[in-house]
Amino acid sequence: MNPLRWIIPAALLFTGVASLSALPAPAPAADTSSYGKQITRTMQLLATSTPEHPNTVRIIIYGQSISQQKWWLSVIQDLRDRYPSANIIAVNRSLGGFASQLLKRPAEHDLYPFYPDLLIFHVYGSDVDYETIIKNTRTLTTAEVCLQTDHVTRGTTLNAQGIYVDDNWTAHMNNELIPSLATKYHCEVIDVRTAWKNYLTTNKFNLESLLADGTHLNDDGNVLMAQLISRQLIERPDVATDPDVLVTDYVVGEDIEWKGNTLGLAFSGNRVDVIPNGEPSGSATVLIDDKKPSTFPSLYNITRPNDDTAKDWPWAVGAIHHITWSAPLVLEDWTVKLLTIDAAKKNWTFQVTGSVTGLDGQGSNSLNFTSTSGRVKISKDDWWITEASNNVSINAGFEIKWHVYPLYSDTYPKTTSDTYNQDYSDFLAKGLTNEHHVLQLTAASEAERPDIKAIRVYRPYYNRAAGNRASFSIANKVITLPKAGGKVDVKVISNTLWTPGEHPDWLGLSTPRFYGSQTITLSVDANPSASARTTNLVVTPEGGTLSPVTLSITQPGPTAAEFFSPTPLTSGWRNTSWGYVYDGAFPFVFHPKVDWIYIFNNTPEGYFFYSFKQAAFGFTGSAYYPYYYVWDAEPGWHVE
């Protein structure tokens, strides 16, 4: 790696070279087959926006001082001109002078929590840390990524054949590393460098013609950079949209259903949104994995310390460019106050105070610091005081402030939007582990259920197979219920939602809820028939590729002796599946319609008997009553 690769502060940007007159347009690329192939989801969101249904598309430009230059404004304006109905939210959080080995640290505050749809990225510096930023972006967000190769700068030599020749490191980064990372992480490569070389040679420009200071772009360089990037941000109807299945909508009424006052979804991903059906109405509490989202430590983040979008952060403000924590955060404001600082602005002491936590410790910039609560950790290498002291007055009493903000909502709706005609989504959580989770929205009553169009789930591409998976099992699948009536408990072991299927009226089913490890209680009354009652109960889990489990349930029928019990209801009379009978002299039984019969055998289907009145054998059961079959001179079915 080359750790000194272009560490240039934004304060050194120049615009001293006059603009070329009648700047020629770049020639079309020889091969455009790769254009737009890795950004299909972003481009479809833009292309399918209408005035009635504008899609929100979040774009971030991230990198160093080259990425801060004004070319990016032209790229965004071009997208707005081409897709006027789209709601494009574009930010540039690039940091001048922050090569990849520095940029990877503030990216935890700037890039990943923003959770963009599209990242346009360029940075110099360590190849290892370059990959770290791309890997984290594809692991922690569903952003599609455009990787820019370097434009041509002073130091690139022109050989005798008129070809620009790269040094070994530049060739490695642009021709080997960036293309290989694009393949590994499914990114779009915007090959600025090759096109820039061709532009210079075709138009017989020297490389300084497009530069302000040998590195940064002049006005014409900004125009060319914008053209080279914009021409690759195109729709590809011949390529599958979202081939990595980054984002999935689960439509209410089609993919998921309200069950009473609860809407549940088992999903795999690290972010989940609600898309309202028009203006939000009603309300619901939110649980993820049976917990409030606010209890997840990963669903908190902090703002840039001393953030000021009107100034060149951190050079012009003085800051700490990376803060971590070892204890769960709470929503509060934090202040670091310098207690002492030397004249050279190289050594200082400080105290840390949280608006909720209170005074949380003191330290020195010469040592790594962990606050008493563990809610603030500052590396001695992450201060940006000495570097900023030429631009801002820093003395004892100087303060650095930041704010802890939520990446969650414990209720829905969480906010009020003034643009309900959009395909507007409220995130319930962003920053979960990228694995199996269960969402439950519960309204106070069915009448108060919010009107929800869909639940949108985001599942980052990289490392998605790691971690927890949906699980579901029932050990006891063959169940015998007591014939005299009673209950049997069936244990479900699961970490996901599940749903029992239809069951007959004679089978009662109850459970605290249809999520996680629970006990299903099956209950029945006494079997009134001569035959056994059977049914199959299918329990279906949600999430992943889990298979339904079928419970085979049987309630035996009573034996003949049990069915015609000698215990009378009223003077020996009993109500049975074959009407009222007198069974006080069992197995001799009197039936008002059939007269005296003798019960001599029973089967699961019914009873065999001898009819004294008809001097014939007969058969009946609960499935046939009031009919019975008699074998006499004219065998056949009779009715009582």
Side-chain angles (χ1 to χ4, degrees):
M1 70 178 70
N2 182 354
L4 299 178
R5 190 169 183 260
W6 301 115
I7 303 178
I8 303 172
L12 298 182
L13 297 181
F14 301 104
T15 55
V17 178
S19 173
L20 297 174
S21 59
L23 185 72
D31 181 7
T32 62
S33 61
S34 65
Y35 281 18
K37 290 185 71 172
Q38 298 294 343
I39 55 172
T40 54
R41 178 178 175 272
T42 298
M43 298 311 299
Q44 188 200 41
L45 287 173
L46 292 167
T48 58
S49 293
T50 65
E52 296 76 23
H53 298 287
N55 294 320
T56 296
V57 181
R58 297 166 68 86
I59 302 173
I60 188 169
I61 288 80
Y62 205 53
Q64 295 177 259
S65 54
I66 301 300
S67 296
Q68 286 180 319
Q69 293 197 261
K70 60 186 179 181
W71 61 263
W72 78 275
L73 296 171
S74 298
V75 170
I76 298 303
Q77 188 57 54
D78 174 69
L79 291 175
R80 290 193 169 119
D81 291 343
R82 284 193 280 155
Y83 306 104
S85 296
N87 177 34
I88 298 175
I89 300 173
V91 300
N92 190 324
R93 301 294 274 176
S94 302
L95 299 176
F98 274 58
S100 57
Q101 55 269 34
L102 290 176
L103 192 67
K104 69 177 181 180
R105 299 176 72 76
E108 295 180 15
H109 310 317
D110 300 336
L111 174 54
Y112 315 132
F114 182 70
Y115 214 108
D117 296 295
L118 178 66
L119 163 65
I120 300 176
F121 182 70
H122 175 264
V123 73
Y124 298 112
S126 160
D127 51 354
V128 173
D129 296 316
Y130 186 109
E131 179 172 3
T132 295
I133 296 172
I134 301 307
K135 179 180 179 180
N136 287 345
T137 300
R138 294 295 269 162
T139 299
L140 301 175
T141 80
T142 55
E144 295 174 316
V145 180
C146 290
L147 303 178
Q148 296 172 236
T149 60
D150 304 337
H151 67 290
V152 180
T153 58
R154 182 184 298 163
T156 305
T157 59
L158 187 68
N159 66 16
Q161 291 73 41
I163 299 173
Y164 284 97
V165 180
D166 297 329
D167 60 64
N168 291 339
W169 176 256
T170 302
H172 164 69
M173 286 294 297
N174 290 275
N175 303 333
E176 298 173 7
L177 182 78
I178 291 177
S180 67
L181 293 182
T183 299
K184 182 177 180 179
Y185 297 105
H186 294 191
C187 302
E188 183 97 358
V189 176
I190 300 181
D191 188 4
V192 170
R193 192 168 188 83
T194 298
W196 204 278
K197 290 178 179 180
N198 291 338
Y199 189 85
L200 292 175
T201 56
T202 299
N203 295 286
K204 297 181 172 52
F205 292 163
N206 65 63
L207 59 83
E208 301 282 355
S209 301
L210 303 173
L211 304 177
D213 59 3
T215 299
H216 296 92
L217 311 176
N218 62 20
D219 288 345
D220 290 325
N222 275 287
V223 170
L224 179 60
M225 181 72 79
Q227 291 174 331
L228 296 179
I229 292 174
S230 291
R231 73 181 185 179
Q232 199 156 334
L233 305 182
I234 61 172
E235 303 160 46
R236 287 295 299 267
D238 59 318
V239 177
T241 300
D242 194 10
D244 293 322
V245 194
L246 300 171
V247 181
T248 303
D249 286 355
Y250 295 87
V251 179
V252 176
E254 297 179 12
D255 306 305
I256 53 177
E257 300 282 352
W258 284 94
K259 296 176 182 176
N261 61 336
T262 298
L263 181 65
L265 173 66
F267 68 93
S268 292
N270 76 339
R271 172 178 171 177
V272 59
D273 295 359
V274 169
I275 303 174
N277 193 16
E279 182 173 348
S281 61
S283 62
T285 58
V286 181
L287 292 178
I288 296 177
D289 300 339
D290 218 25
K291 297 179 291 186
K292 290 182 178 181
S294 59
T295 65
F296 288 76
S298 64
L299 300 185
Y300 293 79
N301 212 293
I302 69 168
T303 58
R304 276 182 176 178
N306 270 9
D307 193 19
D308 187 339
T309 57
K311 296 181 179 179
D312 184 17
W313 188 94
W315 298 91
V317 298
I320 307 164
H321 62 73
H322 181 242
I323 294 173
T324 58
W325 47 93
S326 57
L329 298 180
V330 297
L331 302 180
E332 61 180 322
D333 296 311
W334 284 93
T335 302
V336 164
K337 182 177 181 180
L338 301 192
L339 301 177
T340 64
I341 185 169
D342 67 2
K345 314 301 181 185
K346 293 184 178 180
N347 299 286
W348 53 88
T349 60
F350 60 91
Q351 69 179 25
V352 177
T353 305
S355 60
V356 174
T357 305
L359 184 63
D360 206 24
Q362 297 183 354
S364 163
N365 72 303
S366 62
L367 300 171
N368 295 331
F369 172 79
T370 299
S371 69
T372 304
S373 69
R375 291 173 177 161
V376 177
K377 294 184 69 176
I378 305 172
S379 168
K380 60 185 177 64
D381 298 322
D382 287 335
W383 292 90
W384 213 259
I385 295 294
T386 305
E387 297 84 349
S389 60
N390 291 330
N391 302 311
V392 60
S393 177
I394 300 178
N395 298 294
F398 182 80
E399 293 182 338
I400 300 172
K401 298 177 180 289
W402 67 92
H403 174 68
V404 180
Y405 64 94
L407 300 174
Y408 66 83
S409 179
D410 287 340
T411 60
Y412 174 79
K414 69 179 180 71
T415 58
T416 300
S417 170
D418 59 357
T419 52
Y420 294 123
N421 62 323
Q422 297 188 19
D423 182 13
Y424 178 81
S425 65
D426 272 337
F427 69 81
L428 302 179
K430 59 177 180 176
L432 298 164
T433 52
N434 188 20
E435 56 188 10
H436 172 77
H437 299 285
V438 172
L439 169 69
Q440 295 177 92
L441 296 174
T442 303
S445 66
E446 291 191 39
E448 298 174 84
R449 297 185 324 199
D451 190 7
I452 294 174
K453 177 181 179 182
I455 302 294
R456 178 167 292 167
V457 172
Y458 299 73
R459 191 180 183 207
Y461 157 70
Y462 201 70
N463 282 342
R464 61 171 46 166
N468 181 34
R469 305 284 186 89
S471 62
F472 178 81
S473 65
I474 300 176
N476 184 15
K477 301 181 182 63
V478 179
I479 300 161
T480 300
L481 298 171
K483 55 191 172 185
K487 299 179 180 179
V488 170
D489 289 338
V490 178
K491 186 67 175 177
V492 176
I493 305 297
S494 178
N495 67 351
T496 191
L497 294 167
W498 43 271
T499 305
E502 296 181 355
H503 52 278
D505 293 339
W506 57 264
L507 178 64
L509 185 153
S510 66
T511 186
R513 53 191 170 153
F514 304 120
Y515 165 66
S517 296
Q518 301 289 344
T519 297
I520 301 175
T521 299
L522 303 176
S523 59
V524 289
D525 293 328
N527 188 346
S529 68
S531 58
R533 299 192 286 194
T534 63
T535 189
N536 287 329
L537 177 64
V538 179
V539 186
T540 303
E542 298 182 23
T545 57
L546 300 173
S547 299
V549 172
T550 299
L551 306 182
S552 178
I553 300 170
T554 300
Q555 184 189 22
T559 65
E562 291 170 333
F563 187 77
F564 294 108
S565 168
T567 303
L569 295 176
T570 304
S571 302
W573 287 92
R574 177 177 173 83
N575 186 14
T576 74
S577 63
W578 198 32
Y580 284 94
V581 299
Y582 177 80
D583 63 353
F586 186 84
F588 293 95
V589 175
F590 179 78
H591 191 286
K593 300 287 184 69
V594 185
D595 209 87
W596 285 97
I597 60 176
Y598 178 80
I599 305 295
F600 65 89
N601 192 16
N602 74 298
T603 71
E605 289 77 26
Y607 297 94
F608 288 95
F609 61 89
Y610 182 79
S611 171
F612 295 96
K613 179 178 180 180
Q614 295 174 282
F617 293 99
F619 170 80
T620 192
S622 60
Y624 312 108
Y625 175 80
Y627 296 95
Y628 62 98
Y629 194 93
V630 175
W631 287 271
D632 56 10
E634 296 181 3
W637 287 97
H638 298 254
V639 65
E640 70 171 40

